[in-house]
Amino acid sequence: DKTRKYTKDIFGNEHPTHIGYIKGYPDGSVRPNGKITREEVTAILYRIVNHDYEKPFVATGEAFPDVNIGRWSAHDIEYMSWKDVVRGYPDGEFKPGKNLTRAEFAALISRFAKLDKTDKENPFTDLEVSHWAYDDILRLNASGLLQGYEDGTYRPENQITRAEVMTVINKILGRNPYESYVKTLDFNP
């Protein structure tokens, strides 16, 4: 469609602008300040991957013992596990309904976007070099995809909000708000 505007993501792929990658809840809400689960983030990442040149992926229900094939997110979780973007916990479980922390999100996005290691100094007062996601958090910060808080902290063990996730995904997709268009909208779905 030549009338559509496209944005280029960080991988060089073009996408029609503002195609939905996040789904609201049955009550019509999005809950931007709410928490987001591991399976919800995985589903979002699956939706934004360019699948045009891939053979169809078939889930088996065998990737994680706590993700059965009938779960709504099973296909997306298995696909992103196969791509080594999502990983389970030391006990082998994925814990799909568990809320995602900011550290876990940094690790997912670092793997998803294949972010380069950085020599940038640690700007966060609450992030120790011994933290398991130290390098991932610094990569995410250096990439400009997610910053810390005004007080100089990152708060790696805090649960990440849906709005924070959407901000990063929009940056990955090269999306920016187009204010004059937004003002013309008659409704907010």
Side-chain angles (χ1 to χ4, degrees), residues 30-35 161-163:
V30 174
R31 303 177 195 160
N33 294 320
K35 307 306 178 214
T161 68
R162 293 169 62 83

Side-chain angles (χ1 to χ4, degrees), residues 5-164:
K5 289 187 176 186
Y6 289 81
T7 57
K8 199 171 268 194
D9 67 23
I10 64 172
F11 308 110
N13 300 316
E14 288 191 339
H15 300 272
T17 56
H18 297 287
I19 280 197
Y21 61 80
I22 191 158
K23 298 182 178 180
Y25 292 98
D27 66 1
S29 67
V30 174
R31 303 177 195 160
N33 294 320
K35 307 306 178 214
I36 193 162
T37 65
R38 291 169 54 82
E39 69 187 329
E40 288 171 331
V41 166
T42 303
I44 288 169
L45 295 178
Y46 178 81
R47 290 179 196 131
I48 68 171
V49 167
N50 182 352
H51 301 282
D52 288 346
Y53 301 104
E54 292 183 339
K55 64 180 182 179
F57 179 82
V58 179
T60 63
E62 298 173 2
F64 300 102
D66 61 335
V67 180
N68 69 46
I69 196 70
R71 190 174 188 99
W72 72 268
S73 59
H75 175 272
D76 301 349
I77 291 169
E78 281 197 40
Y79 175 87
M80 296 311 283
S81 173
W82 175 63
K83 290 289 192 177
D84 195 36
V85 172
V86 300
R87 296 176 181 163
Y89 286 95
D91 66 2
E93 291 188 343
F94 183 71
K95 302 182 190 332
K98 185 175 184 243
N99 290 335
L100 194 70
T101 68
R102 290 172 55 86
E104 289 172 324
F105 184 68
L108 287 175
I109 296 302
S110 184
R111 290 189 296 264
F112 179 79
K114 297 177 174 65
L115 299 178
D116 293 327
K117 189 168 173 112
T118 181
D119 294 330
K120 187 177 174 182
E121 195 172 308
N122 176 6
F124 304 116
T125 58
D126 64 337
L127 182 62
E128 300 294 326
V129 71
S130 60
H131 190 281
W132 71 268
Y134 179 84
D135 288 333
D136 294 315
I137 292 168
L138 292 187
R139 283 183 182 120
L140 191 64
N141 177 256
S143 73
L145 292 174
L146 186 64
Q147 305 306 309
Y149 293 98
E150 290 179 7
D151 66 358
T153 62
Y154 183 80
R155 304 176 196 165
E157 301 313 315
N158 281 15
Q159 295 171 349
I160 195 160
T161 68
R162 293 169 62 83
E164 289 170 326

